[in-house]
Amino acid sequence: MDMNICDLKRGERAIVLKVEHTGELGDRLIALGVYVGAKIMVLKRSLRGHAYLIQAGNSKIAMEREIASGVRIWRT
Amino acid sequence: MMLLVGNPNAGKSTLFNRLARAHAHVGNWHGVTVDALAKQATLKGKTIKFVDLPGIYTAAGKSLEEKYACRYIEERPAAALAFVSECGRVEQFVPLMAELTKGGRRCALILTKRRRFEREGGRIDVAALSSRLGIPVLCAEEKGLEDALAHALDGHPTSVPNIAISDLVRPICEGLSRVDRVLLNGFFGVPIFFLLLLAAFFLTFAKGLPGDLMKGGIEWLFNDYLGGMSAGIPSPIVRSLVQDGILKSLGSVLCFLPQIALLHLFLILLEESGLLSRLAILTDGFFSKIGLSGRAVFSLLMGFGCTAAAVTTTRGLDDKATQRRVILCLPYISCSAKLPVYLVLSASFFQNPFVAVILLYALGAGISVVVALFFKKKSPPFIAELAPLQLPRPLFVWKSLLFQVKQFIIKVATVILAFFIASWFLSSFSFSFALCDVEGSMLATICSWFRWLFSPLGMGDWRIAYAALSGLVAKENVAGAIAMLYGSFPYSSASAFAFAVFILACSPCVSAIAATAREVGKKRALLYAVGQTLSALLLSYAVYYCLIGGALYVAIAAAPIVAICIIGKNCEKVSRTRRKFAQRLHRRHLRTGVDVPSRTPKKQRCACKRHQDGRKRAPSRGR
C-alpha cells in the first residue's frame, strides 16, 4: 500500500507515514504540522487546478501537487 | 533563570519580548530564532534571566537547533522551564514535556494563540489540564500573565507524566468555513479579490478620494502656503533655494507619504485579515507560469498608481529572486504620473488620445510579462498556510504602518531630497554660478551632450533630452517640460509615439530607484535603471523605424529574429537526435524552461522520442 496525498479524495483522512522532502522544504512541512504520525484531511483537491488544500492539526495548508506527492500516508 | 521551551513557531519569541521587554525578531514562520537569546528583567520584584531557545519537536531532535536547545536545557538543571505551546498542539507536546522534566524540574505550561483556537471552534479545559499534568497552566493572551508566571515558578520541582489529555482538548472544526468555500472558488474568488484590490487602488490614487486629497493638501502646504510666505525673502538666490530647492523638493517627497501609508495600510489589512494568503493561493497558478508568485498581485496592481510605493510593498514576497523579478517588471507598468505625458504626446499622433493611452498601457503590461518570462527561473514548489480569517488588530496595524512610514522617510526620502536639491542647483545656475533661466543653465549644457541619443528619433534637440532627463525627477515633469519649452509637441507623430515608448520603458523616477535600492541594494538598482534606459532607447528606435518605414522596416527588423528562432530550433532538433540521452533531455528542458521529471520510464521515453524524431525527419529524407 503505497499512497501519497494525491491519492486521497476530498474529505478523506489519513496519517502521515513519511515525509520524503528533505532540507528546507521538509522542515517547513514539519513546522506546518505535516510530520510522521500527524493526522491530515484533504479539504479541497485541485485548488485552481494545481494545488491541494489539506488540514493538518491547526493549520490549513495549500501545496502544489509536486509536494503533495512526496508525503506518504496511510488512509484511515 | 527561566528557559522558554516549545515547538517552532509556537510564539516563544513574542512571549520573550513581552516578558523581558526585549526586541527579538519575531515572525509567523518557524526558525526565526536560531540561537539562545538571554535578557534580564524584573518579574514581580525579582530579577530573572529569560532565555529564548530555538524551537524543538522532540528531545532526540536531529537538527542543529534542536540539539543545541536540548543541550542548553540539560546543562542547566536549576533553571525553570516555561513550556510554550499552541493550544491546538498541546496534545503532541505532552511527551516532550515529560521527557524534559524527568527527575523533576520547576516548570509551567503557557498556552498561546488561544483566541484563534477558540474562534475556530476549539475548546480547552485549562483547570483540568493543570490538575492532570500537575503543573500550572497559563494562557499567554490573558492579563496578569507575569504575576501568575512568577508565582508558578516558585513551586516545587515536578515531573510531568506522559498521559493522554485528548478528552480535555476539543480540536478545531475541520473543513472549510462557508466564507472560505466562496473565496477559494475560482469563479467567485478571483472577481471578489479583484474588486477589493480595485477599491484599494481607487481609494489611494483616484481623484477626490482620501489618498489624492491628502497629497493635494501637502502640495498646497509646501508650494502655496509656505512658498507664498517665503516670497518676501529679499535675496534672489536664497529665495530660489528656499522656494524651488527646499520647499518644492520637500513637498514632492512628502506628498508621496499619504499614498504610501494608505497602500501599506491596505496591504497590512489584507495580510492580517488572512485575505492575502487566499489571494496568493488563488492566483499562484497563473503567476508562477510567468515566474512571479501569487503574492505579487498586490504590488503589480499598485504599480499602476505609483512605482515607488509599489516597490516598497514587495518586501513581504517569499524569496529574494521573486522580489527582484517583480521589481524589474514594475517600471513597465505605467504609473499615474506617466498619464499626463502620454496625453501630451498622444495629442500629436492620435485623434482620440484615449485609444493611444490604452495602447501604451497594454504595451507596458506586455513588456512586463516579457521581462518576467525572460528572467524566469524555476521557482520553488508552492506551499502556503491558509491564514485564519480574522479582524485585524488595530494596535498591530498601527504599529506596522508606523514602522513602514518611518522606513520610507529614513531610507528613501533622504536620498530623493538630496537628488532634488542637486537638480535644482543644476537647472538654476550657469557654469559661472550666476542665477539664470533654464536655457542658460548647467543642466541645459549637460542635456545638449545627450541630444544625439534622440537624433535617431528625428529630434536632435537639447530640449527633448531635458524633458527626458527631468522625467528622472518625476515622470509628470516630462509633460511640464515639453509644455514649458515647446508649447505643443512640434515633431512628427512617429517621433511622438517613439518618445512615448521611451518614457514608458525607461528607468523609473529617482524615488522608485531609491526604493529599489532599499530593497535590492544600490548596485543592482543602478544596474536596473541603466539597463532599462538603454533597452528603452533601443525599443524606441525600433518603434520609430517601424513606423516611418512601414512594412519594409518591420520585415527587416523581424527577419533576424525569425531566422534565429528557425535556425535555433533546427540546430536543437539535430543535436537532440544525435547526442546522448542526458544531453538531449537537458536541451529539451532548456527549451521548455521547466524541469519536470517525466513519469514514463527511461527506456520507453527514449523510444518515444526516437519515434517522434523519426516521424518528423522522415519526409525530408524522402522515405
Short mmCIF file of all heavy atoms in Angstrom, two decimals, chain B residues 84-122:
data_model
loop_
_atom_site.label_atom_id
_atom_site.label_comp_id
_atom_site.label_asym_id
_atom_site.label_seq_id
_atom_site.Cartn_x
_atom_site.Cartn_y
_atom_site.Cartn_z
N VAL B 84 6.12 26.47 26.17
CA VAL B 84 5.22 27.31 25.37
C VAL B 84 4.62 26.43 24.29
O VAL B 84 5.35 25.78 23.53
CB VAL B 84 5.99 28.48 24.73
CG1 VAL B 84 5.05 29.38 23.97
CG2 VAL B 84 6.73 29.27 25.78
N SER B 85 3.30 26.37 24.23
CA SER B 85 2.66 25.53 23.20
C SER B 85 1.42 26.20 22.67
O SER B 85 0.69 26.87 23.41
CB SER B 85 2.30 24.17 23.80
OG SER B 85 1.53 23.44 22.88
N GLU B 86 1.19 26.00 21.38
CA GLU B 86 -0.09 26.43 20.81
C GLU B 86 -1.17 25.55 21.39
O GLU B 86 -0.94 24.36 21.64
CB GLU B 86 -0.08 26.23 19.30
CG GLU B 86 0.68 27.27 18.52
CD GLU B 86 0.68 26.93 17.05
OE1 GLU B 86 -0.41 26.76 16.49
OE2 GLU B 86 1.76 26.82 16.46
N CYS B 87 -2.37 26.11 21.56
CA CYS B 87 -3.45 25.32 22.13
C CYS B 87 -3.72 24.05 21.33
O CYS B 87 -3.90 22.98 21.88
CB CYS B 87 -4.73 26.17 22.17
SG CYS B 87 -4.64 27.44 23.39
N GLY B 88 -3.70 24.17 20.03
CA GLY B 88 -4.05 23.03 19.19
C GLY B 88 -3.00 21.94 19.18
O GLY B 88 -3.25 20.82 18.74
N ARG B 89 -1.79 22.24 19.63
CA ARG B 89 -0.71 21.25 19.54
C ARG B 89 -0.37 20.65 20.90
O ARG B 89 0.59 19.90 21.01
CB ARG B 89 0.55 21.94 19.00
CG ARG B 89 0.44 22.43 17.58
CD ARG B 89 1.14 21.47 16.63
NE ARG B 89 0.97 21.89 15.26
CZ ARG B 89 1.81 22.67 14.61
NH1 ARG B 89 2.89 23.08 15.22
NH2 ARG B 89 1.59 23.00 13.37
N VAL B 90 -1.12 21.03 21.92
CA VAL B 90 -0.70 20.69 23.28
C VAL B 90 -0.65 19.17 23.49
O VAL B 90 0.19 18.65 24.21
CB VAL B 90 -1.58 21.43 24.32
CG1 VAL B 90 -2.92 20.80 24.46
CG2 VAL B 90 -0.88 21.52 25.64
N GLU B 91 -1.55 18.47 22.76
CA GLU B 91 -1.60 17.01 22.90
C GLU B 91 -0.28 16.36 22.47
O GLU B 91 0.25 15.49 23.15
CB GLU B 91 -2.74 16.50 22.02
CG GLU B 91 -3.46 15.33 22.59
CD GLU B 91 -4.58 14.91 21.66
OE1 GLU B 91 -5.29 15.80 21.13
OE2 GLU B 91 -4.73 13.71 21.46
N GLN B 92 0.26 16.84 21.36
CA GLN B 92 1.53 16.29 20.87
C GLN B 92 2.71 16.80 21.68
O GLN B 92 3.82 16.29 21.55
CB GLN B 92 1.75 16.67 19.39
CG GLN B 92 0.82 15.99 18.41
CD GLN B 92 -0.38 16.87 18.08
OE1 GLN B 92 -0.94 17.52 18.95
NE2 GLN B 92 -0.78 16.86 16.82
N PHE B 93 2.46 17.81 22.49
CA PHE B 93 3.55 18.46 23.22
C PHE B 93 3.84 17.76 24.55
O PHE B 93 4.94 17.87 25.07
CB PHE B 93 3.16 19.93 23.45
CG PHE B 93 4.29 20.81 23.90
CD1 PHE B 93 5.40 20.99 23.09
CD2 PHE B 93 4.26 21.44 25.13
CE1 PHE B 93 6.45 21.80 23.50
CE2 PHE B 93 5.30 22.25 25.54
CZ PHE B 93 6.40 22.42 24.72
N VAL B 94 2.84 17.02 25.07
CA VAL B 94 2.99 16.38 26.38
C VAL B 94 4.21 15.44 26.45
O VAL B 94 4.98 15.51 27.41
CB VAL B 94 1.68 15.67 26.79
CG1 VAL B 94 1.88 14.86 28.06
CG2 VAL B 94 0.59 16.70 27.01
N PRO B 95 4.44 14.57 25.47
CA PRO B 95 5.61 13.68 25.55
C PRO B 95 6.93 14.45 25.70
O PRO B 95 7.80 14.02 26.46
CB PRO B 95 5.58 12.93 24.22
CG PRO B 95 4.18 12.99 23.77
CD PRO B 95 3.61 14.25 24.29
N LEU B 96 7.06 15.58 25.00
CA LEU B 96 8.29 16.37 25.10
C LEU B 96 8.46 16.93 26.51
O LEU B 96 9.55 16.88 27.09
CB LEU B 96 8.26 17.52 24.08
CG LEU B 96 9.46 18.47 24.13
CD1 LEU B 96 10.72 17.76 23.70
CD2 LEU B 96 9.22 19.68 23.27
N MET B 97 7.33 17.39 27.10
CA MET B 97 7.40 17.93 28.47
C MET B 97 7.83 16.83 29.43
O MET B 97 8.67 17.04 30.31
CB MET B 97 6.03 18.48 28.88
CG MET B 97 5.66 19.77 28.18
SD MET B 97 4.39 20.68 29.05
CE MET B 97 2.97 19.70 28.71
N ALA B 98 7.24 15.63 29.26
CA ALA B 98 7.58 14.51 30.13
C ALA B 98 9.07 14.17 30.02
O ALA B 98 9.75 13.93 31.02
CB ALA B 98 6.74 13.30 29.75
N GLU B 99 9.56 14.19 28.79
CA GLU B 99 10.97 13.84 28.56
C GLU B 99 11.91 14.86 29.22
O GLU B 99 12.89 14.48 29.85
CB GLU B 99 11.19 13.81 27.04
CG GLU B 99 12.59 13.46 26.58
CD GLU B 99 12.95 12.01 26.83
OE1 GLU B 99 12.02 11.18 26.80
OE2 GLU B 99 14.14 11.74 27.06
N LEU B 100 11.57 16.13 29.09
CA LEU B 100 12.48 17.17 29.58
C LEU B 100 12.41 17.37 31.10
O LEU B 100 13.32 17.91 31.70
CB LEU B 100 12.19 18.51 28.88
CG LEU B 100 12.56 18.59 27.41
CD1 LEU B 100 12.16 19.94 26.83
CD2 LEU B 100 14.06 18.38 27.22
N THR B 101 11.30 16.93 31.73
CA THR B 101 11.18 17.14 33.18
C THR B 101 11.47 15.86 33.96
O THR B 101 11.14 15.76 35.14
CB THR B 101 9.77 17.64 33.55
OG1 THR B 101 8.82 16.74 32.99
CG2 THR B 101 9.52 19.03 33.02
N LYS B 102 12.06 14.87 33.32
CA LYS B 102 12.46 13.63 34.02
C LYS B 102 13.36 14.00 35.20
O LYS B 102 14.32 14.75 35.03
CB LYS B 102 13.23 12.73 33.05
CG LYS B 102 12.43 11.55 32.54
CD LYS B 102 13.30 10.67 31.69
CE LYS B 102 12.45 9.90 30.70
NZ LYS B 102 13.27 9.33 29.64
N GLY B 103 13.04 13.48 36.37
CA GLY B 103 13.88 13.79 37.53
C GLY B 103 13.45 15.07 38.24
O GLY B 103 14.06 15.45 39.23
N GLY B 104 12.42 15.73 37.72
CA GLY B 104 11.86 16.88 38.42
C GLY B 104 12.48 18.20 38.02
O GLY B 104 13.69 18.35 37.96
N ARG B 105 11.59 19.14 37.72
CA ARG B 105 12.02 20.50 37.35
C ARG B 105 10.94 21.47 37.76
O ARG B 105 9.76 21.11 37.77
CB ARG B 105 12.18 20.59 35.83
CG ARG B 105 13.50 20.10 35.32
CD ARG B 105 14.12 21.20 34.54
NE ARG B 105 15.33 20.73 33.86
CZ ARG B 105 16.23 21.55 33.36
NH1 ARG B 105 16.05 22.83 33.42
NH2 ARG B 105 17.30 21.10 32.77
N ARG B 106 11.32 22.70 38.04
CA ARG B 106 10.29 23.72 38.23
C ARG B 106 9.80 24.11 36.85
O ARG B 106 10.61 24.46 35.98
CB ARG B 106 10.88 24.94 38.94
CG ARG B 106 11.10 24.70 40.42
CD ARG B 106 11.64 25.93 41.09
NE ARG B 106 12.94 26.30 40.54
CZ ARG B 106 13.28 27.54 40.23
NH1 ARG B 106 12.43 28.52 40.37
NH2 ARG B 106 14.48 27.79 39.76
N CYS B 107 8.52 24.01 36.61
CA CYS B 107 8.06 24.33 35.26
C CYS B 107 6.61 24.79 35.25
O CYS B 107 5.87 24.62 36.22
CB CYS B 107 8.23 23.12 34.33
SG CYS B 107 7.31 21.69 34.86
N ALA B 108 6.22 25.40 34.14
CA ALA B 108 4.85 25.82 33.92
C ALA B 108 4.57 25.70 32.43
O ALA B 108 5.50 25.70 31.63
CB ALA B 108 4.65 27.26 34.39
N LEU B 109 3.28 25.57 32.09
CA LEU B 109 2.91 25.48 30.67
C LEU B 109 2.16 26.76 30.30
O LEU B 109 1.21 27.16 30.99
CB LEU B 109 2.03 24.25 30.44
CG LEU B 109 1.42 24.09 29.06
CD1 LEU B 109 2.51 23.90 28.01
CD2 LEU B 109 0.48 22.89 29.02
N ILE B 110 2.60 27.40 29.23
CA ILE B 110 1.93 28.61 28.75
C ILE B 110 1.29 28.30 27.40
O ILE B 110 1.97 27.88 26.47
CB ILE B 110 2.92 29.77 28.61
CG1 ILE B 110 3.60 30.04 29.96
CG2 ILE B 110 2.22 31.02 28.13
CD1 ILE B 110 4.76 30.99 29.88
N LEU B 111 -0.01 28.48 27.32
CA LEU B 111 -0.72 28.21 26.07
C LEU B 111 -0.82 29.49 25.25
O LEU B 111 -1.22 30.54 25.76
CB LEU B 111 -2.12 27.68 26.37
CG LEU B 111 -2.17 26.35 27.12
CD1 LEU B 111 -3.59 26.02 27.51
CD2 LEU B 111 -1.58 25.23 26.28
N THR B 112 -0.44 29.41 23.98
CA THR B 112 -0.50 30.59 23.12
C THR B 112 -1.59 30.42 22.08
O THR B 112 -2.10 29.33 21.86
CB THR B 112 0.84 30.82 22.40
OG1 THR B 112 1.13 29.65 21.66
CG2 THR B 112 1.95 31.12 23.38
N LYS B 113 -1.91 31.49 21.41
CA LYS B 113 -2.87 31.53 20.29
C LYS B 113 -4.22 30.92 20.68
O LYS B 113 -4.84 30.21 19.89
CB LYS B 113 -2.28 30.81 19.06
CG LYS B 113 -0.91 31.36 18.68
CD LYS B 113 -0.35 30.72 17.45
CE LYS B 113 1.08 31.19 17.21
NZ LYS B 113 1.74 30.59 16.11
N ARG B 114 -4.65 31.22 21.92
CA ARG B 114 -5.90 30.61 22.37
C ARG B 114 -7.11 31.23 21.69
O ARG B 114 -8.08 30.55 21.36
CB ARG B 114 -6.01 30.76 23.88
CG ARG B 114 -7.23 30.04 24.43
CD ARG B 114 -7.27 30.07 25.92
NE ARG B 114 -8.47 29.38 26.38
CZ ARG B 114 -8.86 29.36 27.63
NH1 ARG B 114 -8.14 29.98 28.54
NH2 ARG B 114 -9.96 28.73 27.98
N ARG B 115 -7.03 32.56 21.50
CA ARG B 115 -8.18 33.24 20.90
C ARG B 115 -8.48 32.69 19.51
O ARG B 115 -9.61 32.39 19.18
CB ARG B 115 -7.90 34.75 20.80
CG ARG B 115 -8.78 35.55 21.71
CD ARG B 115 -8.39 36.99 21.68
NE ARG B 115 -7.59 37.34 22.84
CZ ARG B 115 -6.78 38.39 22.89
NH1 ARG B 115 -6.65 39.16 21.83
NH2 ARG B 115 -6.10 38.66 23.97
N ARG B 116 -7.44 32.53 18.72
CA ARG B 116 -7.60 32.00 17.37
C ARG B 116 -8.15 30.57 17.43
O ARG B 116 -9.02 30.19 16.66
CB ARG B 116 -6.23 32.01 16.68
CG ARG B 116 -6.22 31.33 15.35
CD ARG B 116 -4.84 31.32 14.76
NE ARG B 116 -4.71 30.21 13.83
CZ ARG B 116 -3.59 29.90 13.21
NH1 ARG B 116 -2.51 30.60 13.40
NH2 ARG B 116 -3.55 28.88 12.38
N PHE B 117 -7.62 29.80 18.41
CA PHE B 117 -8.04 28.41 18.57
C PHE B 117 -9.53 28.35 18.88
O PHE B 117 -10.27 27.55 18.29
CB PHE B 117 -7.21 27.81 19.71
CG PHE B 117 -7.51 26.37 20.01
CD1 PHE B 117 -7.19 25.38 19.11
CD2 PHE B 117 -8.09 26.02 21.22
CE1 PHE B 117 -7.45 24.06 19.41
CE2 PHE B 117 -8.36 24.71 21.52
CZ PHE B 117 -8.04 23.72 20.61
N GLU B 118 -9.97 29.22 19.77
CA GLU B 118 -11.38 29.17 20.16
C GLU B 118 -12.29 29.75 19.08
O GLU B 118 -13.42 29.33 18.92
CB GLU B 118 -11.58 29.92 21.48
CG GLU B 118 -10.87 29.18 22.60
CD GLU B 118 -11.31 29.61 23.98
OE1 GLU B 118 -11.81 30.74 24.11
OE2 GLU B 118 -11.14 28.81 24.92
N ARG B 119 -11.79 30.71 18.33
CA ARG B 119 -12.58 31.26 17.25
C ARG B 119 -12.86 30.21 16.19
O ARG B 119 -13.89 30.22 15.54
CB ARG B 119 -11.85 32.45 16.62
CG ARG B 119 -12.76 33.30 15.78
CD ARG B 119 -12.09 34.53 15.21
NE ARG B 119 -11.16 35.16 16.12
CZ ARG B 119 -9.85 35.23 15.89
NH1 ARG B 119 -9.35 34.70 14.80
NH2 ARG B 119 -9.05 35.82 16.73
N GLU B 120 -11.92 29.28 16.02
CA GLU B 120 -12.12 28.25 15.01
C GLU B 120 -12.83 27.03 15.59
O GLU B 120 -12.83 25.97 14.97
CB GLU B 120 -10.77 27.87 14.41
CG GLU B 120 -10.17 29.02 13.64
CD GLU B 120 -8.98 28.62 12.80
OE1 GLU B 120 -8.52 27.48 12.94
OE2 GLU B 120 -8.54 29.47 12.02
N GLY B 121 -13.39 27.19 16.77
CA GLY B 121 -14.23 26.12 17.30
C GLY B 121 -13.53 25.18 18.26
O GLY B 121 -14.13 24.20 18.71
N GLY B 122 -12.26 25.42 18.57
CA GLY B 122 -11.56 24.55 19.52
C GLY B 122 -11.89 24.94 20.95
O GLY B 122 -12.26 26.06 21.23
#
